[in-house]
Structures are given as C-alpha cells and as structure tokens.
Amino acid sequence: MRLAILGAGDVGRSVADLAGEYGHEVVALADSTNAVIDDDGIDVEGALQRKRSGEPVGVDDPDDVFEGEYDVLVEATPTTLGDAEPGFSHVERALEADRHVVLANKGPVAERYEEVRALEADSEGSVRFEATVGGAIPALSTVEDCMPENVTAVRGVLNGTANFILTRMAAEGLDYEHVLAEAQDLGVAEADPTFDVDGTDAALKFVILANVLSDGGFALEDAEVEGIQNIPGSALNLAAEDGRTIRLIGEATREGVRVGPRLVPENGPLAVTGTRNIIQIETRNAGSLHSSGRGAGGPETATAVLSDVNRLADH
Amino acid sequence: MGDEPTPPGDLGTEADGGVRTYTVRLELVDEPGELLAALAPIAENGGNLMSIHHERGNITPRGHIPVEVDLGCPPDRFDDIVAALRETGVNVIQAGAERYGEEISVVLVGHLIETDLSDTLLAIENETSAAVLDLSLSAPQGTGDISSARVRLAIDSGRSEAVFETIRSVSEEKDLTVVEPLLGGDA
C-alpha cells in the first residue's frame, strides 16, 4: 500500500521508518508546516534526517498531500479535544476521495465517532484506529474478532504515566509530587502531565472503546473521570495491608465510561507495573481475555498503525 | 469477588443438590489447636470447608482472634453446623444464615478526622445494609492534614452498587476521595 503520513512526531516518523519493512511504500510525509511528496515513493531516510536536524521535512505544501497517489492516509497529528481538528478534516478529505484512513490520532474517533462512521459509509475507503487504544496492544482488533456484541465490558490500565507514578508510590512509600518530579526527570511524564494524571488521556481511549461497543454515542464529556492527583502514599500503604493496590482503571461498557483510581488485587492481572498497559476484555461466551504490553512509544504505536494497513491490504 | 452470578460448575452460591455457600465469623482464643477444634464440627456435620480467613494481627474487643470461614452445605444442615460450633464452645459472632455476603474494602482520602470519621462510618452503616468490619487509618502528616482510611465492609450480595452510591454521596459532602474496589470481570 502507498502511505501518506500526516504528522511527523514519534509515531508518524516511526511509521515512515518501518513501513518498508512491513511491505508498504511512503509517498508523503508531512508535519504541520512542510511536506515531502513523491508518488514514486519518498526518500524516507533523507526526510527523517532533515527532521532530526531541525530542517523542514521537505519543500512541499502539506495541503498537496491529499492530491497525491496514496492508498492509505495515516493520521498521526496530535490529539485535540472538542472538534478534533484538524484531524477530523483530514479524515473527511481522504474518505471523500475514497481512500482508506488509519488513525493514530484519538480525537476524531473519541469526539466525533458518528460523523467519522457516516463519512466512511459514503466512501469506498475504510477507517481503522487500532493505534488509538493501548499502542502496541491489539485491543480493538480483539474486540472486533470477538465481535463487539459479544463483549460486555472492557477494563484496564491505559495510561503509562499515571501507572508509573502509582507503582513508584506503592513501592517506595513516596508521595505523588515527589514521584511526579522523578517521572519528569526520567522523561516518563511530560512537563505538563495534566492529561495523563487527571485521567483525560485514559478516558479518551475508553470512550473510543465504548463507541466501538455501542457503535457510537460517546464523547469525552460523557465519561466520568477522576485522576490520581489526590492519592497520597498512605492510601497505597493501606491498600497493601489488604493485598491490594491502587491503579488508574478505565471501564467501558454500553452504559458508559468511567476512569478513576480503583483498588485491585496486588497480584491480579490489572496491577501492571511501571509504564506497562493492560486491557481486559470481558466476553459473553469466552470469559475474560487479557492483553498487556507497551501502550505508548513511537515504534510500538507504529506497529499498530501498520497492522491496520495490513488488514486493509488483505481486504 | 463481584456481584455477578457465579458461573455454573463453580462452587458458588448454589450448586447441584442445593448446596449453598455460607460465611461464619468466629472468635478464637489464641492457643494451639483452637482452629482445628473449631473446624471439626463443620466437617462432622456435612459442611464443606471452602476458605478460612485468619485475621492475623486483628484482635476482637475480647482479645480473641477473629476467623472467617466460608463453607458450603445444603441449607437444612447449616443450623446444625452453627449449633455444633456453639456446643464445642466456639464463639460464633456472625453466622451467615442469609445468602453469602461480600466483604469489600474501600479507601477514603481527605480530611477524615476534621470531618468526623465516626460520623462518616455511621452514615455508611445507617444508610445502607453494610456493616463496618474494620478500619485502618493512616495520618502520616498528623490528624490536621490529609489522611487515608481503609474501611472493610460486609455487604449483602448484590447490594454493593447501592452501598457505593451512599459512600460516594457521604464522601462528596465531606470532600473526601473514594477509592472503590474494581468489581466485575476477574479483576
């Protein structure tokens, strides 16, 4: 497949870098201001080198990407809340041109799911978005394989930063502020970690899951969200007395989405440590399925994008 | 755990032949052989021991050790088992004559002392069918600062959601954070 990649952050760059290995060709790579476009395939190495050294990724206009000869638009621009722009318009333009779209950007499917599906229904192209939930973990494809109507709930830990902080607090008996500073030093937490620690990032992922289970109907404002900022070290110590620990757990069902700190068994499957993520898919006929792995990172998330591209190619 | 129906085939609340699961709470003197002596009447009267929860470190007001035993038996044998336990001299503090209850812990965080912790616990007990079994409080910064409490509650089966709703509303009034257990699935 010929890929046009919008967004040249960790994920977009990794998709470009790994595409060849997965049997695909990159015909465009764009960041918000510049693009490199070539219908015969771009020089990925050169473009990534330019990006690394702070030069423009290419001399083309990002808007011209949509005029090129691509099969799949990979949307890897940053997630925005509310109207999910400009990601949503990118999806719209590609589908109106009967091309496929693979999203790494959570915005369009978390905030405007029904509109995306309506555009897809009128298009020859399809939309896939495995990378938006749990990075490398095959969460959505597992739900798809079980068929959403047979899935009763999806629960799990889908934010590595919050999980890292809670794990360190429990292990070292430290308080939130202390561990957050450490996480920032290690590069696990962003300088502004608000989205991670207040539960918003996890909520977006569980909203997407709820949309898949219910075929739409959910946006971020429908989710009940609580963060971990108010959890002191002493709460984790008390939980440990009882063989439990505290994790930022998300739950998506057809009834709603809830994200908040919850008590889970210390040795249970959901008590993953560090930046690891886990997803538990509760099915009607097959019990609970668990899948754990790296929920973030450029190459990890890129593998989810490329799995989607392969599924489109097989269709 | 969880308030879901027990899957068939599991040794759950009801199984073939009408065997049900019961919980009894006993108080034992902390001496060798006491536990064994307390369990014998259960087996002798047709009860099937399922789990024993020995609350290490916990002492009842009388200075004894609380022990919780889950057992399975047909309903008509349960009264005989409790009677046999009492005959043996074991103090039965609670016999689950009703369907299997659940024990659930929650952690509360906030100005617990200043907002009257005992009033909070009373509100939980009075407004729901829950009973507070034990409490563990941690106030590393002193009682005037943020503290945490773990509250273990006994709840009638299937009533946990109602209990949580009460805890949430009591906590909201006092600006407390509630860390609820994750029920459902095999969390």
Side-chain angles (χ1 to χ4, degrees), chain A residues 47-103:
Chain A
L48 295 180
Q49 181 57 46
R50 287 194 293 282
K51 184 79 190 170
R52 267 196 297 273
S53 52
E55 293 168 52
V57 67
V59 294
D60 297 311
D61 182 347
D63 211 49
D64 292 340
V65 167
F66 294 96
E67 313 305 324
E69 291 292 318
Y70 66 94
D71 302 306
V72 182
L73 184 78
V74 174
E75 221 297 348
T77 64
T79 296
T80 52
L81 301 182
D83 63 2
E85 291 292 6
F88 181 81
S89 293
H90 296 158
V91 174
E92 188 173 35
R93 287 181 75 173
L95 286 174
E96 280 175 351
D98 290 325
R99 311 295 171 81
H100 298 300
V101 177
V102 172
L103 287 161

Side-chain angles (χ1 to χ4, degrees), chain B:
Chain B
M1 61 185 279
D3 51 1
E4 299 189 326
T6 307
D10 202 346
L11 245 188
T13 48
E14 246 177 279
D16 284 347
V19 173
R20 282 187 169 187
T21 309
Y22 297 89
T23 301
V24 288
R25 284 175 69 76
L26 313 173
E27 239 184 15
L28 297 182
V29 182
D30 194 8
E31 279 171 15
E34 277 292 308
L35 182 61
L36 193 61
L39 298 179
I42 297 174
E44 284 161 10
N45 286 277
N48 181 25
L49 278 173
M50 293 169 65
S51 77
I52 299 163
H53 183 57
H54 204 199
E55 294 176 23
R56 59 203 147 72
N58 268 343
I59 302 263
T60 68
R62 279 181 289 266
H64 296 169
I65 313 267
V67 175
E68 196 174 273
V69 180
D70 293 338
L71 59 101
C73 70
D76 56 349
R77 296 221 188 127
F78 183 65
D79 288 344
D80 294 343
I81 290 174
V82 174
L85 280 168
R86 292 200 161 120
E87 267 169 41
T88 322
V90 174
N91 190 14
V92 181
I93 46 179
Q94 185 191 326
E98 295 168 66
R99 296 262 317 240
Y100 188 47
E102 295 171 40
E103 278 193 17
I104 287 173
S105 289
V106 293
V107 172
L108 303 176
V109 178
H111 288 279
L112 297 168
I113 314 292
E114 286 168 355
T115 59
D116 195 348
L117 183 57
S118 38
D119 173 70
T120 306
L121 298 180
L122 269 179
I124 294 170
E125 282 199 321
N126 289 345
E127 290 172 33
T128 68
S129 53
V132 174
L133 295 177
D134 69 35
L135 171 81
S136 186
L137 181 74
S138 173
Q141 313 293 329
T143 53
D145 206 324
I146 296 282
S147 51
S148 309
R150 180 176 55 80
V151 184
R152 198 154 58 90
L153 299 163
I155 296 174
D156 287 347
S157 282
R159 298 283 300 156
S160 50
E161 197 41 49
V163 172
F164 289 141
E165 265 170 41
T166 302
I167 296 175
R168 276 175 222 147
S169 80
V170 169
S171 301
E172 202 172 86
E173 277 168 35
K174 301 188 172 194
D175 202 20
L176 307 177
T177 300
V178 187
V179 184
E180 291 175 27
L182 182 71
L183 306 177
D186 50 0

